[in-house]
Each structure stands twice: as C-alpha cells, then as structure tokens.
Amino acid sequence: VNAPASEFALIDRHFRRPVQHADVRVGIGDDAAVIAPTPGAELAVSVDMLVEGRHFMAGADPKALGHKALAVNLSDLAAMGARPRFALLAGALPEPDEAWLDAFMQGFRALAQRHDVELIGGDTTSGPRNLCVTVIGELPAGAAITRAGARAGDDIYVSGTLGAAALAVAAARGNVALADADRDRLRARLDRPEPRVGLGLGLRGVASAALDVSDGLTGDLAHILEASGCGATLEWARLPADPAIAARLDGPDRALALRCLLAGGDDYELCFTAPAHSRASIAALSHALDVACTRVGVIDAGDALAVVDRDGAPLQPLPRAFDHFA
Amino acid sequence: VNAPASEFALIDRHFRRPVQHADVRVGIGDDAAVIAPTPGAELAVSVDMLVEGRHFMAGADPKALGHKALAVNLSDLAAMGARPRFALLAGALPEPDEAWLDAFMQGFRALAQRHDVELIGGDTTSGPRNLCVTVIGELPAGAAITRAGARAGDDIYVSGTLGAAALAVAAARGNVALADADRDRLRARLDRPEPRVGLGLGLRGVASAALDVSDGLTGDLAHILEASGCGATLEWARLPADPAIAARLDGPDRALALRCLLAGGDDYELCFTAPAHSRASIAALSHALDVACTRVGVIDAGDALAVVDRDGAPLQPLPRAFDHFA
C-alpha cells in the first residue's frame, strides 16, 4: 500500500484491522504484506477484476458487491481444491465515498470471516469504479485439482443448480418476466454467489478435474476438455436447472432458458470430473455438505463436446457463451 | 483466469508462456496458479492499481506502461528486502487492442525477465483502462524490512536522486520549461522507473526500516516515523536532488523544485534507516551496486518530522504531498 493523505484515512478506517493469524508476519500498512506459508503447503493464487458497467451496474448495492468481489475469487480457489487464507483488495472509486466503502467492506468482511480469510493488503485510488481482488489459498503438495486431469470414462458433475444468475440478468434487461416467488432467489444467485469452498476441499483426491462455472457450462467444460485432451457428451436434460429455468424449458421462453442453463454466466457452481469408482464418495460428500452433485455426462476419448437430448440427438444450435469483449 | 471466446485468444497470445520455474506447479490457464514456496521462506505480497487519467495519461506509450505497472510493484518488494518471484496481471481495456497489448506485454516482460519474475496469472476484461498487478517475493524467515524498525539515532538514507519524476509531470502540465538536455532523462524517470531490487536485497540485515518513495519523501518518511513511533530531522540541502532540480533551488522555480524534491511522487527510490555502525556496510553496498545512498538526516525520540536548512532552521512551509483523491 502506497497512498497519501485523505486516501490513507480511508485505508486506515476501512481496511486496516489487527492481524488475525500468526502466519501473517506483516499485515496491511507496509509496502507489502508478509506471510509465512504452512511448511510443505503449496499456494493457489488467483486474481479477478470486476468493472462497473461490465460485471455490475452503476448503483449496485455495495454490500452485495463486496461479497461478490471476494466470492468470485474464492470460487476459483474452490475449483482448485484450495483452502482460502489471504486476500488483497485494490479498488478504484470515483470519489472517496465513506458510506459506499463501509457497506462494500461489510459485505467483503462477512464472507471473508465465514471462510477465515484475512485481508492482508490493498491499494485505493480514484478512477472509474473497479474492484480487483487477489486471493491466496493453501493446498497439500500435489493436491491441486486442475483442468487437465479428466480421462475418458470419467463422469461429469455439476454442483447446485444452473441458470439462475443468467435468468436474473435477462430479467433485469427486461427480456423475461419473473414470478414474484422467483425474483429474490434469482437475484440473490446473481448478486451474492456462494463459492463452493467446502465442496472443493472435499473433492481433493476425488475429482480428476474441476473448474468453476463462471462463464457458462458448455464454454467452461470446453476448457477442461482442451486442457485434458479429451471430448465429452453432456446430457442437457440431466442438468440441475434452477426451478425457474426448468419451468421454461417447454414454453415460449425455451431458447432463453436453454441459453441460461448451458451458457449462462455467474452461477459459480463447480463442474468436475471423476472416475466412476468415485460415485459413492461423491454421493457421501454431497450428502454431508448438503450440496447437490449431479451427474450430467461422461468424458470420452474424442476431441469434441456433444450436447445431447435424452434420446442422444445433438442439441442444435448450441447456445453461445458470454464474451466480455462481445 | 476465467474468460471466454475472443478474450481467451488475447490471453493465450499475450499472457500464456511455457512455465519457467519448477516451483510454478500450475501456471496461467487454470482457475488459479499454484506455487510451491521455497521451504522456510516467507512471502511478501503487494498489489498496485494504475488508472488511466490518474497514474498515466490517455495515449501513454504502452511499452513504458507495461514496464511501470510491474516496476511500481517490484519497488514495493524491494522496500521489504524481498526477492521478486511471481506476478499476476489483471487489466481492463476499452477494447481488445492487440497492438497495444503486445507493446504493453513487451515492456512488462522485459522488466520481468531482468528480475526473473514469472507471470503466473491474470484476468482481462473490457472497461476503462486499468492495470492491476500483484507481485509475490520471497524472503528468509524474519528478514523482512518493515516500516516499524527505525530507532532514535539511526541515520536516514535515500537512494539515487529525487525530484526528477515530479519535475517531468510539472513540465508535461506546462508548469515549467525544461532544457532539451534534461527532457529525456526526466521523462524516463517518470515513465520507466527502475525498482531498487538489488539494493533492497542488500539492505536485509542492514537497514532498520525502509519504504519506497512513491508519494513524496516527507510523506513517505512520515509513515516510517508513525510505524516506528519516533521523530526525525531531515536536512533538505543534503537530499540527492536530480541535477535539474538542484539547478532550480536558487532561482524563480525554487518553490516548485522544493516541492518536487520533498513531496514529488513517482521516484521509486528507497528511503531507509540504519544504525550509525552500518555506515561502512552501506557505503560498500552503494559502491558494489553503483547506486548512491545518501545520508540525509537522523531519527530521534520525538514524534515529529523536522525539515531543516543547513543552519538548522526549519523549512517553512513544508511542501504538501500528492494525494490521489485531491
């Protein structure tokens, strides 16, 4: 952290706290934080940048945004099977708005505390609103679940449900009307995603590959296939659709519902693969954590992703994935 | 890194490279990077965000900007005495401009290679131009040079020269006219600062406190005093002024020159303290690295920073520090 005068008052008030963990040797307020990693552990490190007008709208609830800025990063650690430990927060704000920053940090800290994550560094500046969070997690040596470990014959799983966040975006844009009973649940999925940290930890030594579904299932699964050098068949009818998506799959909103389900971003569920002999372990883990883990397809030795109907017929056309530069 | 379609093409072409270091277990292209820290080492972690219109002007040379975005972070590691190892780069760009990104990465990578820093992660998105770099360095356990170790009687040093970058900013704003002979040197100090990495490493076990002069010497030194619970007297006439600053200290631009010298940002020199018995070590280090280390004052048991003339008279008024939110 290098910043002067009024900016410092902001940092002191909102960011600085007494150091919480003994392995944080130097916390916020020096040129760099210093941490003492657990002997033998490996560290997973990820960074995500959230931009106003792109990842959230102007006027977005700052408390929800504080939650989400950390959540999307913890989701990356979950996908590696890493235990979240530390975070750094860099932010540009149009003006030093204390009330906004206070609410943002409430959302950020509440999620950080639930996962025992310590904020160890930061940077603040004026500029178009932009939140950039770096997270550091710990892993036993060699335990990282990468995208490259899927093998032909492995099952493909998805946690929780898909499509809710994208349907909330569609509703916010006026492209679909939601029932009152659905509105809050869908909006919460978009604004306050829950990173699957416990599931990621439980999948160490069980899953052969994993990633988080942040950009849409088909696009994200394609990354596993590319990294692992294999193909897959996905049975779309088995996908764990949010109820509001499921209800639209046979009506006039079918195309939209399919797009939310297969290519909707922002769900932050885990998509993972595992050999068939792990089915019982995964069922037990799912039960213990109360997180649905649905088997949705199988990895094969090809090089393509086939999305098929119940009868094995390919789904055509495949909904397009979301593109940040589209 | 989580990003789709055209954005992926950008990442692949500009960010991804074969993993260079054996302790990078997972590099760019997964949900998170995974590193295996050197056994027993501590890690220094810092993040800095550079915003267009605030830290650099629209139209800034992208290659210089790539250098600077990493340099300001390596400077933070240098100030802790840490050896730079890894970097993560998150960036928002108004459009996926290949030529711009290519030039930016050239500047970034050239500096990274000189310090053997590996880029292990990133995130790209569209948005107002914003570069956020996270760096990770290594330190022997307990070796970090913090801001809190200065003690009464310690000497205060400044590396290199001060004031050049701020004078270049003043010239760019039309507040001062530069001689042709000075223009390129000053501009290079602003646009392509050289982080004092070697000096920082050499100061382990020698300096009692250190930070980098990013916001102006008096403001930055005040952070050492606050963190260390002491005061200081700074003899401003001993400060290692850039020649173009020195030439202006007795003329009509005196006020501007003093402000650049004492409160100018962006020099990225190190300010550090050390007990008097370390003078010979510091002289030897300075000679070995060919980096001037100038003794400019002394720490005392008070709680104030006095900036004095050759005759001990206080300099009044003290130039104000730069404020990002001013």
Side-chain angles (χ1 to χ4, degrees):
Chain A
V1 177
N2 270 312
S6 72
E7 193 178 342
F8 268 112
L10 279 181
I11 291 171
D12 275 344
R13 202 165 314 147
H14 295 284
F15 290 178
R16 230 187 262 199
R17 292 289 186 278
V19 167
Q20 297 165 36
H21 296 93
D23 51 2
V24 177
R25 299 298 159 86
V26 179
I28 285 181
D30 217 300
D31 290 84
V34 179
I35 56 174
T38 302
E42 293 180 356
L43 298 180
V45 192
S46 181
V47 61
D48 268 298
M49 179 175 267
L50 299 189
V51 176
E52 184 170 279
R54 165 58 64 182
H55 301 93
F56 59 93
M57 291 301 107
D61 171 26
K63 192 170 169 186
L65 191 57
H67 172 97
K68 186 164 180 172
L70 181 58
V72 301
N73 277 280
L74 296 187
S75 181
D76 284 324
L77 295 185
M80 304 300 290
R83 180 179 300 283
R85 294 296 321 277
F86 312 108
L88 298 94
L89 168 61
L93 305 179
E95 66 276 311
D97 180 339
E98 298 269 335
W100 192 94
L101 199 52
D102 186 56
F104 179 89
M105 290 309 298
Q106 275 183 39
F108 188 97
R109 282 192 201 285
L111 182 62
Q113 278 166 17
R114 275 203 281 132
H115 293 288
D116 201 24
V117 170
E118 181 158 354
L119 183 65
I120 60 170
D123 189 22
T124 57
T125 178
S126 68
R129 203 177 310 272
N130 181 313
L131 290 316
C132 186
V133 175
T134 304
V135 288
I136 302 175
E138 285 195 341
L139 277 160
I145 309 167
T146 72
R147 299 176 176 188
R151 296 294 173 261
D154 283 359
D155 296 318
I156 304 169
Y157 293 82
V158 169
S159 68
T161 60
L162 293 177
L167 192 61
V169 170
R173 288 177 178 160
N175 297 335
V176 65
L178 300 182
D180 287 346
D182 291 332
R183 196 170 290 117
D184 289 353
R185 182 186 79 256
L186 296 176
R187 191 75 208 183
R189 285 299 305 267
L190 177 64
D191 291 344
R192 302 183 56 87
E194 272 305 320
R196 296 297 191 187
V197 172
L199 179 60
L201 295 175
L203 288 174
R204 281 183 196 160
V206 176
S208 52
L211 48 55
D212 70 330
V213 183
S214 56
D215 297 313
L217 179 63
T218 51
D220 285 327
L221 178 56
H223 301 320
I224 286 183
L225 303 184
E226 188 189 7
S228 299
C230 50
T233 298
L234 194 68
E235 261 187 81
W236 74 261
R238 300 179 70 157
L239 289 174
D242 179 273
I245 296 288
R248 283 170 171 80
L249 285 173
D250 292 315
D253 289 331
R254 176 183 164 87
L256 174 71
L258 269 177
R259 191 170 185 214
C260 291
L261 185 62
L262 284 162
D266 269 345
D267 281 319
Y268 297 99
E269 296 293 352
L270 297 186
C271 171
F272 59 96
T273 62
H277 65 72
S278 296
R279 286 181 189 175
S281 311
I282 291 168
L285 183 63
S286 166
H287 182 76
L289 297 172
D290 195 21
V291 175
C293 292
T294 307
R295 206 146 42 82
V296 298
V298 64
I299 299 290
D300 60 46
D303 59 5
L305 171 60
V307 182
V308 301
D309 221 322
R310 258 179 233 284
D311 55 8
L315 180 68
Q316 291 290 2
L318 261 190
R320 275 183 316 108
F322 174 76
D323 185 339
H324 283 264
F325 281 125
Chain B
V1 176
N2 269 311
S6 71
E7 194 178 340
F8 268 112
L10 280 181
I11 291 170
D12 274 344
R13 203 165 312 147
H14 296 285
F15 291 177
R16 232 187 260 196
R17 291 289 185 279
V19 166
Q20 297 164 37
H21 295 92
D23 52 0
V24 177
R25 300 298 161 86
V26 179
I28 285 182
D30 216 300
D31 290 84
V34 178
I35 56 174
T38 302
E42 293 180 356
L43 298 180
V45 192
S46 181
V47 62
D48 269 297
M49 180 175 267
L50 300 188
V51 177
E52 183 170 279
R54 164 59 63 181
H55 301 93
F56 59 94
M57 290 301 106
D61 171 26
K63 192 170 169 185
L65 190 58
H67 172 98
K68 187 164 181 172
L70 180 58
V72 302
N73 277 281
L74 297 187
S75 180
D76 283 324
L77 294 185
M80 305 300 289
R83 180 180 300 283
R85 293 297 321 276
F86 313 108
L88 298 95
L89 167 61
L93 305 179
E95 66 277 313
D97 180 339
E98 297 270 334
W100 192 94
L101 198 52
D102 186 56
F104 179 89
M105 290 310 296
Q106 276 182 39
F108 188 97
R109 281 191 202 285
L111 182 62
Q113 278 166 18
R114 276 204 281 132
H115 294 288
D116 200 24
V117 169
E118 182 160 353
L119 183 64
I120 59 170
D123 189 22
T124 56
T125 178
S126 67
R129 203 177 309 272
N130 181 313
L131 290 317
C132 186
V133 175
T134 304
V135 288
I136 301 176
E138 285 196 340
L139 277 161
I145 309 168
T146 72
R147 300 177 176 187
R151 297 291 174 262
D154 283 359
D155 295 319
I156 304 169
Y157 294 82
V158 169
S159 68
T161 60
L162 293 179
L167 192 60
V169 171
R173 288 178 179 159
N175 297 336
V176 65
L178 300 182
D180 287 346
D182 291 333
R183 196 169 292 118
D184 288 354
R185 184 186 78 255
L186 297 176
R187 191 74 209 185
R189 286 298 308 265
L190 177 64
D191 290 345
R192 301 182 58 87
E194 272 304 320
R196 296 295 191 188
V197 172
L199 180 60
L201 295 176
L203 289 174
R204 283 183 195 161
V206 176
S208 52
L211 48 55
D212 71 331
V213 183
S214 56
D215 297 314
L217 179 62
T218 51
D220 285 326
L221 179 55
H223 301 319
I224 287 183
L225 303 185
E226 189 189 5
S228 299
C230 50
T233 298
L234 194 67
E235 261 188 79
W236 73 262
R238 301 181 69 159
L239 289 175
D242 179 274
I245 296 288
R248 283 170 170 81
L249 285 173
D250 291 317
D253 288 333
R254 175 183 165 88
L256 174 71
L258 269 177
R259 192 171 184 213
C260 290
L261 185 61
L262 285 161
D266 269 344
D267 282 318
Y268 298 99
E269 296 292 353
L270 297 186
C271 172
F272 59 96
T273 63
H277 65 72
S278 295
R279 285 181 191 177
S281 312
I282 291 167
L285 184 63
S286 167
H287 182 77
L289 297 173
D290 194 22
V291 175
C293 292
T294 307
R295 206 147 41 81
V296 297
V298 65
I299 299 290
D300 61 44
D303 60 3
L305 171 60
V307 181
V308 301
D309 222 324
R310 260 180 231 283
D311 57 6
L315 179 69
Q316 292 289 3
L318 261 190
R320 274 182 316 106
F322 173 75
D323 185 339
H324 283 264
F325 281 126

